[in-house]
Structures are given as structure tokens and as C-alpha cells.
């Protein structure tokens, strides 16, 4: 885990990324010189929380596979600089996508402010088309809401706009374009926004994570998403990363944990945590009063919604955290593939092998054989794509992809240690195992059979005709 450590020079170096952006010379250099330093990062690792050294104090969040954007204080105003630009994002090891993002990544960096902060956002457009930014969920002046054509002129390529407002309401929010929204969000333009409580003692937690749900349709062999796809995506991602590329959420035993999740896909996602029950403590509308919360192990996050969940991590182990739509925990897959369960393909394999020598039959006993064959035979994949199911644990193939990660609860971690501690060492006798047959299985207890005749014999008279309802 590292801190973002890039500066204006790195930004100029990134000017050539993907080759699809406007020329940097189109941006007015005199105006650029007066703007806050542009901080950018291409790394896909989860980076260290950014503790404030100016402005009001707060307890920072950790952005899963991302980072928080530094700022400068200018006469009491907190100033940030976002740059919309083409970026390259590694979806998982072995696959990269050519996307649009902010400051080198998709999603862009998390913005962290404190309730009551006056915020000034400079937004530079290095995309090949006009854009804007909508501050999703914020209470602000109408002209700062970022809907191009409605509340402001669009930001043309090469131009920089400034937004200014007070972060009135604490909570979890998002930012995304409101100009050619379908294309720009399908290309990955989005980011998280967290407004912390002014009172740092209010609803404290030990670890506070944030990430966005997003999705892409990138055909094997290609690098750019199909922006007109409505629902049939083949890459379901958290912060534009798919399992096994998503980092684990590492916490200490008995930490109070908050996980903030925003959904910028085009369908809902039931996010499910194993081993712990949690409460939904925050929505787009603010924090849920304690008396209105209830325990859950799954929370459904609809399109355009934010949810914050909280729990005490008191069960050590490696616990799955995932979307409960099973196709959303798969990577690139053909959705029109027929079901081949129980279909004997021996004859078919012989015929097809004459045309395609490397052809292998799969699906006859389920799709697990795909990961088994991959492990045994090092199956080749098309260029720039991912296996449908992937990842291995200490006991073998995990057979997951997409929106899947793990909550790793460990004793003895340092307060700010977010490093992956490796596989959980289970206490002896606490792992499910094959039944050896050496232990006697107790007979099941069954209720006694009652052979006595029924005390009352029911006689049912069937209705005749329609009676007074005739004609209705």
C-alpha cells in the first residue's frame, strides 16, 4: 500500500496515455499555472488513507483499489483539481481496458471533505468531447449541479471550469458526468465523495472503506468498452477491478468496520457478507437513526444509490464479500451458450477435433472443469480477456470473478496495517472435511407415528351453482 506521489510532471508524462485525448497544448498553460497541483496515479493498488495536514480534522477512508485526492487550502477554501482524461486501467492481472477517468484512473480519486467545508473544484477536460460533473447527492446551488445545458454550459475539450459550494451534509456521495452520460459513464468516468462529520467523535469506526460498483462490456481481444450495452455486461467490477484483481478488505479482530458502496451500473446488486451481520447505517439521504436500523447479511443497492453498512468484525477468518447475482461473480463469458449438463460430447469432440485440433469439451458435468483444465493444461485465452472463473485459495480453485472479494479479519494487526495477511490459519478441527466413515452417525430422531383414528371426520360440501353471485 502506497501513497499517491505524482505531480504536475507526471501529469505531463501521462499526456500521451492511450493517445485518444486532446493535446495538452490545447489547455491554457497560464491558467493552468494558477491551479492547484494536479496529482495523478496509474496504480491499481489500494493506497494508504490520506490523513489531513490542513483544514478540519477527520478520520480518512480507504478507497478499495484506489486513493484519495490531495487538496490545497486557499484562504479557508479547500481546493481540488480533477482532470477528465483517457486512462488505462488494469481490470485484473492479464487484462487492461482503455477507459476514461480522472487523474490517471477510473474511477477517479475519492474526494474527502468535512461537513461545513467550502469546497472549490477545478475540472479540466482532456477528453475528445465536452463534459461536466454532477455532484451526486450534494445540497448545493443549482448552478453548481453540473447538468450541461440545464444548469451550466458544457466544459469543452481543453477548458477548465470551477465549481464552488459548501459541503452541507455529512455522508457518502458520488461524482460523474452529466454530459453524454451514457457514453462517458460506460467509459468509466466516475468517483466517490465522502463528507465527514465535523464532530470526529460522532459514529466513529476503526476502518472505513469505500468503492463504486461499475460494469463494462469488453469483448475478448479488444480494449475499449461497448458503450451502448444496456444490461448484458461481461465484466462486473468494483472500482473498475474484477476478481482476482480486487484487493481484500483487511481489518483487525473486533474493529468496528464501515463499508460505503455506490452503484453506478444499470442494475441492482445485492451485496452479501459472510460470517457477520451488519446494519445499513447510511443511504443517499443521510445517516439512518439507530432506532430505524435492522440486522442484515445482504443489502440490495439499486442503480444510482449509495449504502453504508457497519459491523463489528469479531469472527477471525477469510470471509467472502460479493454480489449475490451469480453472473456478477463471473468474468467474461458467453451468455448465449447452451446448457450442456449431462450431454455426452464424445462423438462431437471427435468431429470438431478434425477441424479444431485443440478443441476441448466442457460443461458436461458443470463449469468447474474449466478451472480444472486451466490448472492442468494452462489453457490459452484470447488476447486481453480474463477466465470466466478464477482465483485460487489455500484449498484450491475459488471459481469466482467479477464482484467478489474477501473480508480478512485478523488478531494482532497494527491500527493502520492494511496489508494482505495471506490465507487464514484455521484452528485445528474447524475446517469442513471429507467424512471418513469411522465415526458412528447417530440415528435421526423422528416423531412417533400416531395410528389412532382421527377424532373428527370432516365432511366438505362442494358449492353448487353461483347463487346470489350469478351473473357477475
Amino acid at each position: 500500500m502506497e501513497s499517491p506521489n505524482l505531480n504536475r510532471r507526471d501529469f505531463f508524462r501521462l499526456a500521451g496515455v492511450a493517445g485518444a485525448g486532446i493535446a495538452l497544448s490545447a489547455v491554457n498553460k497560464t491558467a493552468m499555472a494558477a491551479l492547484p497541483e494536479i496529482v495523478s496515479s496509474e496504480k491499481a493498488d489500494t493506497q494508504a488513507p490520506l490523513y489531513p495536514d490542513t483544514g478540519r480534522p477527520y478520520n480518512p477512508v480507504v478507497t478499495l483499489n484506489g486513493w484519495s485526492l490531495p487538496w490545497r487550502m486557499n484562504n479557508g477554501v479547500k481546493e481540488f483539481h480533477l482532470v477528465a482524461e483517457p486512462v488505462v486501467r488494469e481490470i485484473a492481472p492479464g487484462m487492461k481496458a482503455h477507459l476514461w477517468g480522472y487523474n490517471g484512473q477510473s474511477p477517479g480519486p475519492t474526494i474527502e471533505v468535512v461537513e461545513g467545508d467550502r469546497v472549490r473544484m477545478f475540472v479540466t477536460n482532456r477528453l475528445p468531447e465536452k463534459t461536466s460533473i454532477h455532484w451526486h447527492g450534494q445540497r448545493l446551488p443549482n448552478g453548481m449541479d453540473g447538468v450541461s445545458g440545464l444548469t451550466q454550459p458544457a466544459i469543452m475539450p481543453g477548458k477548465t471550469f470551477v465549481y464552488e459550494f459548501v459541503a452541507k451534509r455529512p455522508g457518502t456521495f458520488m461524482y460523474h458526468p452529466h454530459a453524454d452520460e451514457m457514453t462517458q459513464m460506460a467509459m468509466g468516468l466516475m468517483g466517490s465523495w465522502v463528507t465527514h462529520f465535523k464532530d470526529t467523535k460522532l459514529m466513529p469506526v476503526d476502518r472505513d472503506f469505500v468503492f463504486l460498483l461499475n460494469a463494462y462490456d469488453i469483448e475478448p481481444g479488444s480494449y475499449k468498452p461497448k458503450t451502448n450495452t444496456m444490461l448484458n455486461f461481461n465484466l462486473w467490477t468494483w472500482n473498475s477491478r474484477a476478481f482476482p484483481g480486487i484487493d481484500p478488505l483487511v481489518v483487525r479482530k473486533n474493529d468496528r468496520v464501515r463499508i460505503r458502496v455506490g452503484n453506478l451500473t444499470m442494475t441492482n446488486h445485492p451485496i452479501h457478507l459472510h460470517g457477520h451481520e451488519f446494519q445499513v447505517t447510511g443511504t443517499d439521504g443521510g445517516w439512518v437513526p439507530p432506532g430505524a436500523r435492522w440486522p442484515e447479511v445482504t443489502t440490495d443497492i439499486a442503480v444510482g444509490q449509495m449504502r453504508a453498512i457497519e459491523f463489528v468484525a469479531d469472527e477471525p477468518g477469510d470471509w467472502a464479500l460479493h454480489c449475490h447475482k451469480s453472473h456478477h461473480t463471473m468474468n467474461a463469458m458467453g451468455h448465449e451458450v447452451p446448457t450442456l449438463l449431462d450431454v455426452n460430447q464424445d462423438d462431437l469432440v471427435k468431429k470438431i477435433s478434425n477441424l479444431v485440433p485443440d478443441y476441448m469439451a466442457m460443461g458436461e458435468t458443470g463449469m468447474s472443469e474449466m478451472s480444472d483444465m486451466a490448472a492442468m493444461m494452462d489453457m490459452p485465452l484470447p488476447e486481453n480477456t480474463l477466465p470466466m472463473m478464477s482465483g485460487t485459495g489455500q484449498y484450491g480453485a475459488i471459481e469466482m470473478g467479477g464482484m467478489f472479494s474477501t473480508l480478512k479479519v485478523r488478531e494482532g494487526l497494527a491500527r493502520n496495517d492494511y496489508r494482505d495477511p495471506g490465507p487464514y490459519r484455521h484452528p485445528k478441527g474447524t475446517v469442513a472435511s471429507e467424512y471418513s466413515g469411522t465415526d458412528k452417525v447417530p440415528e435421526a430422531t423422528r416423531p412417533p407415528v400416531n395410528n389412532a383414528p382421527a377424532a373428527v371426520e370432516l365432511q366438505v360440501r362442494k358449492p353448487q351453482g353461483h347463487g346470489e353471485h350469478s351473473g357477475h
Side-chain angles (χ1 to χ4, degrees), residues 38-88:
I38 296 171
V39 182
S40 189
S41 176
E42 299 171 88
K43 296 179 179 177
D45 302 333
T46 301
Q47 298 186 22
L50 182 63
Y51 285 90
D53 55 3
T54 60
R56 294 185 172 102
Y58 63 82
N59 297 315
V61 298
V62 169
T63 304
L64 195 63
N65 292 102
W67 52 293
S68 291
L69 185 63
W71 66 89
R72 75 177 182 191
M73 295 301 296
N74 186 357
N75 293 322
V77 180
K78 188 173 279 187
E79 293 184 337
F80 297 86
H81 194 167
L82 285 173
V83 180
E85 59 185 346
V87 301
V88 175

Side-chain angles (χ1 to χ4, degrees), residues 381-402:
L381 289 174
E383 179 187 350
N384 201 47
T385 190
L386 297 171
M388 185 178 78
M389 52 180 69
S390 186
T392 55
Q394 58 180 320
Y395 301 111
I398 297 177
E399 299 181 338
M400 286 285 175

Side-chain angles (χ1 to χ4, degrees), residues 433-460:
S433 59
E434 181 182 358
Y435 174 62
S436 65
T438 56
D439 298 328
K440 184 179 180 181
V441 180
E443 292 187 6
T445 303
R446 296 183 176 85
V449 178
N450 185 1
N451 295 321
V456 178
E457 184 175 350
L458 296 178
Q459 294 184 347
V460 179

